[in-house]
Amino acid sequence: LRKAPVPLDRAELQAVFSRTVGGLQVLYQPIVEARTGQPVGYEALMRSNERQLPDPGSVLSAAERLGRVVQLGRTVRRRTAADLEAHPGVTVFVNLHPEELLDDQLYDPHSPLARFATSVILEVTERERIELIDDLPSRVTALRRLGYRLAVDDMGAGYAGLSSFARLQPEFAKIDMSLVRDIDRRP
């Protein structure tokens, strides 16, 4: 994806971000069993039609800059829940910014996605360090009580290292592509 520059003017960025969130789409990429080629789940991917925020990285950067990460996460979770309503029982991986771990709505059993928690794996993306969340163990326990499972996304890149793995104790670890690129050609 070609990245467009993020507008520098805060008011303009606010307007562009609001339009982006309003028109945000969630698309699903299959996760397949290597031996059988059969889908075992789907990764929820946010997509924007906004020219100034054309890719997930620019949307996340804008959300961080504007202090609207929680709003973005709620929107993705709400749209994913609506899709799960039409496809119950499908396993979905949903990215979760570490800042969203501080959002009380994530732990609300009446939130839209909580109804489908047993079919959802929350992928903690480590754009920021999870070590900064003091009560992380109790938050992880609360998510598991709701039925969610956890994954560390892009393990081996950025902050996603063994300490994150140890603190989250995830059911899944998604290895960063830089560690597995060309593995089929270089055993």
Side-chain angles (χ1 to χ4, degrees):
L1 297 170
R2 191 174 51 91
K3 292 189 178 194
V6 174
L8 298 177
D9 176 77
R10 187 171 179 85
E12 182 182 9
L13 183 59
Q14 287 274 16
V16 169
F17 184 78
S18 291
R19 284 194 313 267
T20 300
V21 170
L24 199 70
Q25 297 176 339
V26 177
L27 303 178
Y28 298 90
Q29 177 176 317
I31 299 171
V32 299
E33 162 62 47
R35 285 171 281 190
T36 66
Q38 296 299 307
V40 294
Y42 298 86
E43 181 169 5
L45 304 170
M46 71 173 165
R47 292 295 182 254
S48 164
N49 290 324
E50 193 62 43
R51 184 181 60 77
Q52 292 171 295
L53 298 175
D55 60 86
S58 62
V59 174
L60 272 171
S61 293
E64 290 171 337
R65 182 172 166 200
L66 296 170
R68 293 174 71 180
V69 168
V70 168
Q71 177 193 7
L72 178 62
R74 286 179 177 183
T75 300
V76 170
R77 293 193 309 269
R78 187 176 56 253
R79 298 229 167 114
T80 302
D83 291 336
L84 284 170
E85 186 80 44
H87 303 283
V90 172
T91 300
V92 177
F93 286 71
V94 178
N95 287 317
L96 195 70
H97 188 287
E99 194 173 316
E100 290 178 77
L101 290 167
L102 300 173
D103 178 13
D104 290 339
Q105 189 184 80
L106 182 65
Y107 307 91
D108 181 352
H110 304 293
S111 67
L113 196 59
R115 287 186 44 215
F116 306 98
T118 58
S119 296
V120 175
I121 293 96
L122 298 173
E123 281 186 44
V124 179
T125 61
E126 293 211 53
R127 291 173 61 94
E128 293 182 20
R129 296 173 48 169
I130 62 168
E131 285 80 14
L132 302 178
I133 301 171
D134 291 332
D135 56 348
L136 184 64
S138 63
R139 290 180 180 277
V140 166
T141 299
L143 290 172
R144 287 201 169 101
R145 266 194 219 117
L146 288 170
Y148 292 110
R149 291 174 285 166
L150 298 176
V152 173
D153 194 21
D154 297 330
M155 191 165 156
Y159 295 116
L162 291 176
S163 64
S164 298
F165 186 84
R167 291 200 69 204
L168 285 173
Q169 298 181 14
E171 286 81 0
F172 301 91
K174 293 179 81 179
I175 308 297
D176 186 68
M177 77 169 77
S178 66
L179 298 175
V180 295
R181 183 172 282 126
D182 299 327
I183 196 168
D184 58 318
R185 291 183 282 185
R186 297 185 310 187

